[in-house]
Amino acid sequence: MLELTDLSVHYGTVAAVDSVSVTVAEGEIVAIIGPNGAGKTSTLRALSGLVRPSGGRVMFRGTDISRWRPHRIVALGLSHAPEGRRLFPQMTVLENLRMGAYRRRDRDAVARTLGEVLERFPRLAERRHQPAGTLSGGEQQMLTIGRALMSGPAMLILDEPSFGLAPLLVREIRAIVQSINRERGVAVLLVEQNARMALAVAGRAYVMETGRIVLSGSAAMLRESPHVKAAYLGG
């Protein structure tokens, strides 16, 4: 479904992403783990058209989207739940969710998707008329994922969904990601500093450090890697 080949991203003369190659198959959950500043977020921003790659190629569903604008990428079925949530804080929960469907024109289908999202996230249903800025951190993360689902994606890219959340909420977000994948067949590319959570939810994973992929394989294999244990799993 998704294939990055030798993807590079530069900010001026600084290489944030250096010849990264990643694949995600239909219906798969794949994680990219690594420390802060490794280039994970820049990789996702290049996928969704928010930054222009300086090299390499991004193929999604058989189409080269390397130079596409974000709105065209969303329409093709790739939706991005960004780091830091990036909600509209003065708008209500419902208004934020409807913004996720801005590319869709079938009102009945959008209404069905909205109902499904509110059923999946009952706390959002309870707070649907509240401004997004008044929600807790966990509720805001649910709203970010829900807004991304409103576009009806074939693939969801999630950037640090567990950041700043208490362990109980991290487990809840993990269960949500797994259920979206299992029940809707949505492929997921998950970027996380929380390696333990990422390797619990993903089938395969990549380890990214200083802009490069340094390890890859099944999540089970990486959990047993001495390097991953020492650097990311507390020994």
Side-chain angles (χ1 to χ4, degrees), residues 2-85:
L2 177 73
E3 184 177 10
L4 315 185
T5 306
D6 295 329
L7 181 74
S8 295
V9 176
H10 284 74
Y11 299 108
T13 59
V14 177
V17 180
D18 187 5
S19 298
V20 162
S21 296
V22 169
T23 61
V24 182
E26 194 107 20
E28 192 176 26
I29 301 179
V30 173
I32 303 176
I33 65 173
N36 190 35
K40 305 185 304 297
T41 291
S42 292
T43 299
L44 295 195
R45 287 172 62 83
L47 298 188
S48 56
L50 295 172
V51 299
R52 183 65 61 88
S54 53
R57 188 174 69 169
V58 180
M59 297 290 293
F60 180 63
R61 305 178 93 179
T63 299
D64 187 341
I65 62 169
S66 307
R67 298 294 183 268
W68 281 29
R69 298 295 295 263
H71 66 280
R72 294 184 65 201
I73 293 172
V74 171
L76 192 61
L78 181 62
S79 194
H80 185 173
E83 180 185 31
R85 293 146 199 167

Side-chain angles (χ1 to χ4, degrees), residues 108-179:
D108 291 340
V110 170
R112 285 195 297 273
T113 303
L114 178 61
E116 291 168 2
V117 168
L118 292 177
E119 184 177 355
R120 183 177 297 279
F121 300 103
R123 272 181 280 180
L124 298 185
E126 293 168 7
R127 293 158 174 74
R128 59 188 178 274
H129 299 303
Q130 281 184 224
T134 66
L135 301 181
S136 69
E139 290 163 351
Q140 288 189 9
Q141 189 58 65
M142 292 174 192
L143 180 53
T144 302
I145 296 172
R147 182 179 61 183
L149 290 174
M150 285 297 297
S151 68
M155 183 173 175
L156 193 59
I157 53 178
L158 303 175
D159 194 353
E160 304 283 4
S162 75
F163 180 75
L165 301 185
L168 186 63
L169 285 172
V170 171
R171 288 194 291 273
E172 188 171 352
I173 293 296
R174 184 180 85 181
I176 288 166
V177 172
Q178 290 173 314
S179 69

Side-chain angles (χ1 to χ4, degrees), residues 85-104:
R85 293 146 199 167
R86 300 291 192 269
L87 298 170
F88 300 98
Q90 304 305 321
M91 294 168 62
T92 67
V93 167
L94 278 179
E95 288 168 338
N96 271 273
L97 289 173
R98 289 182 177 128
M99 286 295 291
Y102 79 101
R103 288 287 299 175
R104 300 175 66 181

